[in-house]
Amino acid sequence: MKLYTADGIPNPRIVDVAMYEKNLNLERIIVDFLEGENRASSFLTKNPAGQIPVLELDDGTIISEVTAIIEYFEEVCPDPFLVGATAKERAEARMWARRVDLAVMEPMSMAFKYGIGKNYFEKRITVYPEAAESMKNKAQDGLVWLDNVLAGKQFLCGDRMTYGDIMLYCYTDYFKKTGQKVESGLVHLTHVLDSIAERSSVQKTA
Ligand SMILES: N[C@@H](CCC(=O)N[C@@H](CS)C(=O)NCC(=O)O)C(=O)O
């Protein structure tokens, strides 16, 4: 298996953390996203969405989207679980990952692409600068909502760390550098993020 990826950006980092959690040793091929290698036709034949990370299986099958890649890791290497051991646990992990994706990741990413990242992204995708501030506010609303629902919990799924926690950490850690921070009053969320930050898998990717 090969992983087309890059260092220092959130979606590739999510998959790297999952890879280290599961002790998988994959060949990492660094894609020069700053130069637009991921938007070149040779890459688009692999991933028509033009983004990284991308997992290429030994038979040439391409898997993109961090959730699909992590679900694949889980199938081939269940231990330690990042999704779950039972149907109920897996459903719960997928529910939280989807909520994190919709409530935080998508709006944070759009706020960046349409806002301070506009000059870079407008050469690659259609940008909607008028939506940047609203997307930033929507992501902040998502963080406040998550803070409320995390009261009394160690992780999104109670005492089980799942991939939604990794997604939440990697996004908030990256986008705080772009002006989208987790307000200090969000103590339940901060508690979860601090415990994720201590994991060796996360520190290896810092
Ligand atoms: N929904 C995708 C998002 C992937 C994504 O946004 N990747 C970013 C890096 S964090 C990227 O490729 N950016 C460069 C670009 O869009 O040209 C996933 O789950 O993998």
Side-chain angles (χ1 to χ4, degrees), residues 42-100:
S42 54
F43 193 87
L44 293 176
T45 57
K46 288 190 193 298
N47 180 14
Q51 292 180 315
I52 47 176
V54 168
L55 182 67
E56 184 171 351
L57 307 187
D58 293 342
D59 70 357
T61 303
I62 296 292
I63 317 278
S64 74
E65 302 299 326
V66 294
T67 49
I69 294 171
I70 293 175
E71 293 267 1
Y72 183 80
F73 286 172
E74 184 95 350
E75 298 270 345
V76 296
C77 174
D79 184 28
F81 292 111
L82 291 178
V83 189
T86 63
K88 188 170 80 173
E89 284 187 359
R90 289 190 286 274
E92 198 185 17
R94 289 167 186 148
M95 171 182 76
W96 281 110
R98 180 79 174 134
R99 286 172 169 171
V100 166

Side-chain angles (χ1 to χ4, degrees), residues 9-50:
I9 48 176
N11 289 289
R13 189 181 187 192
I14 292 166
V15 168
D16 282 346
V17 171
M19 182 179 80
Y20 288 126
E21 285 286 334
K22 288 186 173 287
N23 278 314
L24 289 168
N25 191 13
L26 302 187
E27 182 186 355
R28 289 174 84 251
I29 297 169
I30 301 296
V31 175
D32 190 347
F33 67 96
L34 288 174
E35 287 298 321
E37 192 183 342
N38 53 305
R39 300 276 170 182
S41 56
S42 54
F43 193 87
L44 293 176
T45 57
K46 288 190 193 298
N47 180 14

Side-chain angles (χ1 to χ4, degrees), residues 72-179:
Y72 183 80
F73 286 172
E74 184 95 350
E75 298 270 345
V76 296
C77 174
D79 184 28
F81 292 111
L82 291 178
V83 189
T86 63
K88 188 170 80 173
E89 284 187 359
R90 289 190 286 274
E92 198 185 17
R94 289 167 186 148
M95 171 182 76
W96 281 110
R98 180 79 174 134
R99 286 172 169 171
V100 166
D101 202 355
L102 291 174
V104 175
M105 292 167 66
E106 274 304 302
M108 265 190 175
S109 171
M110 284 187 240
F112 176 68
K113 288 173 180 166
Y114 303 163
I116 65 169
K118 175 179 149 303
N119 290 347
Y120 171 77
F121 277 100
E122 67 189 357
K123 299 180 200 92
R124 304 175 174 219
I125 57 170
T126 307
V127 295
Y128 301 93
E130 66 284 2
E133 198 58 26
S134 307
M135 289 298 111
K136 191 172 172 179
N137 293 338
K138 184 168 163 53
Q140 288 299 316
D141 290 347
L143 293 175
V144 170
W145 179 75
L146 282 174
D147 183 63
N148 281 319
V149 295
L150 282 168
K153 285 181 170 190
Q154 197 181 346
F155 299 109
L156 291 163
C157 292
D159 58 3
R160 286 191 304 123
M161 190 194 77
T162 58
Y163 65 116
D165 298 293
I166 299 172
M167 288 160 44
L168 187 56
Y169 176 81
C170 291
Y171 261 64
T172 51
D173 190 54
Y174 179 82
F175 285 106
K176 70 185 179 197
K177 298 166 210 151
T178 72

